[in-house]
Amino acid sequence: MALVRSIWWNKNKYKLSGLILLFPIVFLYQSLTPKFPPAWPAQQLGEFKVSPLPLDLKAPYVHHDDFVKDFMVIFEEGEISNMRQGYANIGVEALPMSILQRSENGILHGNKHGQHVHAIAAKQLNATDSLWVSIQNWQGEWSVARWPLPPELLP
């Protein structure tokens, strides 16, 4: 017959296991109730009225060999199907198409409810940088809008 010693570990190991089983519930709750920074003011780009929403206030990260910052672009006006292509980058000016079209980073993608973009950025954001969103319609007309970066995004 085994003799169980009454030590702290033997008394509490099942309580610790139960506590660990609660972690997935906490993770599920956090996943189902995300909190985002506020959306930036909307601007008109041709027929579209768009408002970018940063997904977090963290620094840019590496994605497919580029530093990027994630945004959701909300279309308040305009039909998404009238947009041929759209891009976003962070910098002192909008990047030329030759650079924007060299990879999948910077391309607006999603559906009519919201567009997501990995905006091409530098490793570290500066006060002189802005978010640039460029949209082309099916007639080949480009519209570009600029949003200055809020201080919360700057290091």
Side-chain angles (χ1 to χ4, degrees), residues 25-141:
I25 295 169
V26 173
F27 176 76
L28 179 65
Y29 175 77
Q30 289 177 342
S31 298
L32 294 176
T33 57
K35 295 183 176 32
F36 300 110
W40 297 356
Q43 290 190 31
Q44 197 75 34
L45 284 95
E47 73 172 275
F48 307 106
K49 187 173 185 180
V50 300
S51 175
L53 173 99
L55 296 186
D56 59 37
L57 297 175
K58 297 177 183 173
Y61 66 96
V62 177
H63 180 71
H64 294 273
D65 300 329
D66 287 323
F67 279 94
V68 298
K69 177 100 184 102
D70 291 341
F71 285 88
M72 178 175 174
V73 180
I74 303 164
F75 282 72
E76 297 179 3
E77 292 177 7
E79 184 64 39
I80 293 290
S81 62
N82 293 338
M83 181 176 73
R84 180 171 184 245
Q85 57 183 340
Y87 296 93
N89 73 285
I90 297 174
V92 292
E93 61 185 17
L95 291 175
M97 284 304 115
S98 60
I99 295 175
L100 289 172
Q101 292 178 338
R102 69 180 165 84
S103 77
E104 63 188 52
N105 289 329
I107 299 174
L108 270 75
H109 56 281
N111 56 37
K112 66 180 182 180
H113 303 294
Q115 295 282 308
H116 178 76
V117 65
H118 304 287
I120 299 171
K123 183 176 182 179
Q124 186 170 359
L125 302 176
N126 296 313
T128 57
D129 290 340
S130 299
L131 172 69
W132 300 87
V133 174
S134 307
I135 295 177
Q136 183 186 37
N137 63 17
W138 287 102
Q139 288 73 40
E141 300 162 346

